[in-house]
Amino acid sequence: MTEPYWAAARRGELVLQRCVECRRFTHPPLDICRHCGSGDRQFERVRGSGRIETFSVVHRTAAPGFADRVPYVIAWVALDGVPDVRVFGNVLGPRTPQAYIGMPVEVSFEQLDGFGPIPNFRVVEEDR
């Protein structure tokens, strides 16, 4: 069910599942549309830009391969043009410990050993 998502990530594209019936996006992918119950879904490419809606700064981690990254930010990102869907990921960039609600980000695919490319987000610089 999630293979199209990971295949797109290997191509450097962010795709989300969309219901053919009601045209609403769902993430993470599900067997049926959580909005209308239809089993007719497809994956569509999305821009991958958005803003941090909420986040947490991780100062200690038990996750393998992440100990050398602390502190790092994990965030729920509201994507531009994709209403009612939030995507979860690490926020990459030099200012990530200073993340803030509304911070602009865009998808960035990070190659992690044993996992392949993982959709994360990088900070988009803006004048504040």
Side-chain angles (χ1 to χ4, degrees):
M1 171 177 42
T2 63
E3 178 50 31
Y5 178 82
W6 297 111
R10 289 189 293 273
R11 295 189 307 270
E13 299 174 354
L14 181 61
V15 298
L16 297 179
Q17 192 179 59
R18 191 171 200 180
C19 178
V20 173
E21 296 295 320
C22 72
R23 302 299 299 152
R24 293 178 76 181
F25 287 97
T26 299
H27 187 75
L30 299 171
D31 288 332
I32 62 169
C33 176
R34 69 177 163 158
H35 305 287
C36 73
S38 172
D40 195 4
R41 296 139 1 270
Q42 61 191 19
F43 284 84
E44 289 187 17
R45 186 175 183 182
V46 294
R47 290 186 306 209
S49 62
R51 295 191 178 270
I52 293 176
E53 188 162 280
T54 190
F55 68 93
S56 181
V57 179
V58 177
H59 293 278
R60 289 190 290 173
T61 183
F66 285 84
D68 62 341
R69 296 178 177 217
V70 294
Y72 63 91
V73 173
I74 55 175
W76 282 107
V77 173
L79 295 174
D80 296 333
V82 186
D84 303 323
V85 172
R86 305 301 176 261
V87 178
F88 188 74
N90 290 337
V91 179
L92 312 171
R95 298 185 317 148
T96 55
Q98 291 79 38
Y100 58 89
I101 303 298
M103 178 180 258
V105 294
E106 62 185 16
V107 72
S108 178
F109 294 90
E110 181 180 12
Q111 183 67 41
L112 292 180
D113 292 340
F115 293 102
I118 304 294
N120 282 317
F121 293 90
R122 68 179 176 87
V123 174
V124 175
E125 295 299 321
E126 70 171 354
D127 295 329
R128 284 194 71 196

